[in-house]
Amino acid sequence: MAKQNVAEQFVDILARAGVRRLYGVVGDSLNPVVDAVRRNPGIDWIHVRHEETAAFAAGAEAQITGKLAACAGSCGPGNLHLINGLYDAHRSMAPVLALASHIPSSEIGLGFFQETRPDQLFRECSHYCELISSPKQMPRLLHTAIQNAVGRGGVSVVSMPGDIADLTAPEKAVETALVTARPTVRPGDAEIDALVAMIDAADKVTLFCGSGTAGAHAEVMEFAGKIKSPVGHALRGKEHIQYDNPYDVGMSGLLGYGAAYEATHECDLLILLGTDFPYSAFLPDDVKIVQVDVRPERLGRRSKLDLAVWGDVRETLRCLIPRVRAKENRRFLDRMLKKHAAALEGVVKAYTRKVDKHVPVHPEYVAAVLDELADDDAVFTVDTGMCNVWAARYLTPNGRRRVIGSFSHGSMANALPMAIGAQFTDPRRQVVSMSGDGGFAMLMGDFLTLVQYDLPVKVVLFNNSSLGMVELEMLVAGLPSYGTTNKNPDFAAVARACGAWGVRVEKPKQLAGALKDAFRHKGPALVDIVTDPNALSIPPKISAEMVTGFALSASKIVLDGGVGRMLQMARSNLRNMPRP
């Protein structure tokens, strides 16, 4: 039997760790690894057009599956292109292993062609970032990188010179058992005792939920019902907590709506569940706050805490539910539910006025129709900017749908690359990229990746020929919009030229038929929808409250774009309120 080289050993370890795809762009220093992938039946090389796409795709795959995903870039400029997608994956706690191949080992430090220092460059967007300088070092170093990515949730980067990858691997390399799943974390007894006492002593408790509530929906609902608590959420918590939720009071933050802000400020005790909500201005400073998080470094970095609880949300709630006293008084909960419904009633008005005849098409109308027609288990990938607004307000969660975006890192151009990674996890599942024209154009070359692999991703393009969110930011700051206009082609014609299915929508009556046709098409498809660039017009007079934040009632004016079926859910919750 021929001896393995280091590249073959590297790929074998990745396959043993459950990695099924390596996203990247081939290149000289990476060639030994790509060739090892070619000869390994357990892993595929996914050739993308830009390494940034490779990192975004790997991050999306990791978020969808919860398992390790991988990407790679060749030396210098190749692996530098990975950095933006890796930042996003790391901030999303997506377990990703990145290979940053390097120049020849004998030339490191001598200003060689394409020389960079990947073992230093990627440190801020990874838990672990190291250089392989010897074949004997590789197996243990790669094992350590994998365990950091999976065990800590985030990115690990391994840098390896091409000449090292081509060397013969040690014959008896140690095969260490690999970490492939994270454990649950239970808080200590002292923290549970203290939290029980605080909950029992409080008359009005509010729960505010983030992405850390994934897998804990049943426990959150049981807990909220027992202590009669309103339940608000951050953007990343929406898909995990809003569905089947009779205690829902909406979302807080820059895209906030409903009564979440009031519920967090008018309570006696605010419990932050699995959220690293970044906007301190939306958190109260005059109520008691408890934070529960599996990442201890996040505890207390957004607001002052009266109690910090290190643990999984689900395990923590399982400890609390049998011990807290059931509350009988629902006055606070019912008042917040009524405020929530009233707030949504006010916001929905602009959306309901002749939207089926308005030209250019209301983007709110596009999002509402998309929500109605998309599959119940669809995966939506969402561009940063106004697409975030429409996803937050119109996509209806149900426990089966997924919504993936650059919600923590806030990068442009993430939706199409993420859709690639999401679609590779299951070619039969509907994947919809909610792309803005600015974001789509930035990495438009990877639309060709959809065609090359015949990935049935449906790109729904909100084309308002502008960087809409940036324009809104300028206007709210009192600045004239400048540098925000895009001169766009007919993107549907571009899609057809690439070999995909494409259609352009300029009138509302064309929309539903175009989306249905795209969803029926078996391959990649693009629906280019010309949307109203003035959908978020600013009123002549603007208050200080509107400038400093978009939540509260001010959001009804600044982001006067409707809330879709969330109003129906709020009304349903009111109908379910017990009558005296």
Side-chain angles (χ1 to χ4, degrees):
M1 181 181 292
K3 292 182 178 179
Q4 279 190 321
N5 65 17
V6 172
E8 291 169 320
Q9 189 181 65
F10 185 97
V11 172
D12 277 350
I13 292 172
L14 287 186
R16 193 157 57 86
V19 173
R20 294 294 170 259
R21 283 162 288 275
L22 189 57
Y23 300 89
V25 178
V26 297
D28 49 8
S29 59
L30 200 54
N31 288 343
V33 173
V34 176
D35 188 62
V37 172
R38 178 182 65 84
R39 290 179 282 109
N40 190 311
I43 190 168
D44 293 323
W45 177 259
I46 305 301
H47 168 51
V48 297
R49 297 309 202 270
H50 195 294
E51 290 90 349
E52 184 175 349
T53 294
F56 272 126
E61 178 179 324
Q63 289 185 68
I64 293 294
T65 65
K67 298 177 181 178
L68 184 68
C71 58
S74 58
C75 63
N79 63 57
L80 277 178
H81 285 156
L82 295 170
I83 197 163
N84 193 46
L86 293 182
Y87 257 102
D88 183 83
H90 193 57
R91 298 188 69 181
S92 300
M93 295 182 64
V96 171
L97 188 286
L99 170 60
S101 66
H102 208 346
I103 63 172
S105 57
S106 61
E107 302 298 329
I108 293 175
L110 300 174
F112 191 69
F113 176 64
Q114 293 189 323
E115 181 173 9
T116 58
R117 290 296 181 92
D119 53 316
Q120 297 178 25
L121 285 167
F122 294 97
R123 289 194 182 279
E124 285 194 7
C125 62
S126 65
H127 290 304
Y128 184 83
C129 182
E130 292 294 345
L131 171 68
I132 294 173
S133 55
S134 163
K136 292 182 179 180
Q137 177 194 16
M138 198 284 292
R140 287 180 298 157
L141 193 148
L142 182 56
H143 290 156
T144 302
I146 291 170
Q147 288 167 342
N148 269 273
V150 175
R152 299 173 70 184
V155 171
S156 283
V157 180
V158 173
S159 177
M160 182 165 62
D163 61 311
I164 298 293
D166 223 6
L167 294 176
T168 301
E171 287 190 41
K172 295 183 179 180
V174 177
E175 290 198 3
T176 305
L178 294 169
V179 170
T180 57
R182 299 179 66 194
T184 57
V185 179
R186 180 197 182 280
D189 290 338
E191 287 72 28
I192 293 296
D193 291 344
L195 183 49
V196 168
M198 292 177 72
I199 294 168
D200 286 346
D203 291 327
K204 300 176 292 184
V205 182
T206 292
L207 307 181
F208 187 69
C209 302
S211 61
T213 57
H217 182 274
E219 288 78 8
V220 173
M221 293 304 105
E222 184 178 359
F223 184 57
K226 189 169 186 180
I227 64 172
K228 307 299 184 288
S229 170
V231 177
H233 59 269
L235 178 57
R236 290 189 66 199
K238 175 184 172 74
E239 63 174 325
H240 305 298
I241 214 66
Q242 192 183 33
Y243 67 96
D244 296 337
N245 181 356
Y247 316 105
D248 175 48
V249 291
M251 187 171 78
S252 191
L254 294 179
L255 309 181
Y257 55 80
Y261 185 95
E262 288 89 341
T264 57
H265 282 70
E266 297 180 25
C267 59
D268 301 323
L269 176 64
L270 173 61
I271 304 179
L272 307 175
L273 293 176
T275 179
D276 191 34
F277 183 67
Y279 303 109
S280 300
F282 293 95
L283 294 173
D285 55 12
D286 57 352
V287 304
K288 290 185 177 180
I289 302 179
V290 174
Q291 186 176 359
V292 179
D293 206 291
V294 72
R295 298 279 285 267
E297 70 272 19
R298 293 180 171 178
L299 295 170
R301 72 178 181 180
R302 307 300 185 193
S303 66
K304 62 93 178 174
L305 293 184
D306 295 276
L307 180 64
V309 180
W310 181 12
D312 295 328
V313 170
R314 185 168 64 175
E315 292 303 312
T316 302
L317 295 183
R318 286 177 173 177
C319 295
L320 289 174
I321 289 169
R323 293 194 51 190
V324 296
R325 288 198 304 266
K327 297 186 185 296
E328 302 300 328
N329 188 339
R330 328 177 17 115
R331 283 196 296 271
F332 176 63
L333 170 60
D334 292 345
R335 183 162 60 86
M336 289 301 113
L337 291 175
K338 290 177 181 177
K339 278 194 173 186
H340 180 57
L344 299 191
E345 292 277 2
V347 179
V348 82
K349 291 177 183 176
Y351 161 66
T352 58
R353 287 197 296 265
K354 299 181 180 179
V355 292
D356 58 336
K357 298 179 181 178
H358 185 84
V359 177
V361 184
H362 273 310
E364 307 95 314
Y365 181 65
V366 178
V369 175
L370 175 61
D371 182 58
E372 290 282 352
L373 296 180
D375 289 350
D376 287 342
D377 65 344
V379 177
F380 298 90
T381 60
V382 183
D383 260 344
T384 298
M386 293 316 307
C387 286
N388 265 347
V389 179
W390 314 135
R393 293 177 167 230
Y394 285 91
L395 296 185
T396 306
N398 59 11
R400 298 171 62 200
R401 286 179 166 180
R402 295 299 311 274
V403 182
I404 306 295
S406 187
F407 298 141
S408 294
H409 185 49
S411 173
M412 283 183 66
N414 61 285
L416 174 63
M418 286 181 166
I420 292 170
Q423 192 70 82
F424 266 114
T425 66
D426 185 352
R428 297 165 298 179
R429 190 173 185 181
Q430 187 182 80
V431 176
V432 179
S433 173
M434 292 179 65
S435 297
D437 58 289
F440 180 75
M442 188 177 283
L443 285 176
M444 187 167 58
D446 268 293
F447 189 79
L448 297 171
T449 302
L450 301 184
V451 177
Q452 179 158 333
Y453 290 95
D454 197 28
L455 294 174
V457 169
K458 314 307 177 190
V459 177
V460 177
L461 188 60
F462 289 72
N463 182 2
N464 62 1
S465 297
S466 72
L467 303 178
M469 182 60 81
V470 178
E471 188 168 295
L472 177 64
E473 292 166 351
M474 288 179 171
L475 292 173
V476 170
L479 301 172
S481 61
Y482 183 75
T484 59
T485 302
N486 297 325
K487 185 175 182 180
N488 290 327
D490 181 336
F491 286 110
V494 172
R496 292 192 296 271
C498 292
W501 187 94
V503 66
R504 187 172 174 92
V505 172
E506 297 180 342
K507 297 180 180 179
K509 64 182 180 180
Q510 302 168 330
L511 178 62
L515 289 175
K516 289 176 183 178
D517 288 344
F519 290 158
R520 280 194 293 264
H521 183 69
K522 293 185 178 179
L526 183 144
V527 183
D528 179 11
I529 308 164
V530 180
T531 58
D532 187 356
N534 298 313
L536 297 183
S537 58
I538 303 297
K541 293 185 179 180
I542 190 164
S543 69
E545 289 78 10
M546 291 160 126
V547 173
T548 56
F550 297 106
L552 268 174
S553 60
S555 68
K556 294 185 297 187
I557 303 172
V558 178
L559 295 181
D560 194 0
V563 288
R565 282 188 281 175
M566 283 178 281
L567 177 58
Q568 298 174 26
M569 295 193 302
R571 288 170 174 166
S572 176
N573 290 343
L574 286 182
R575 287 196 297 270
N576 293 331
M577 283 170 50
R579 297 291 181 253

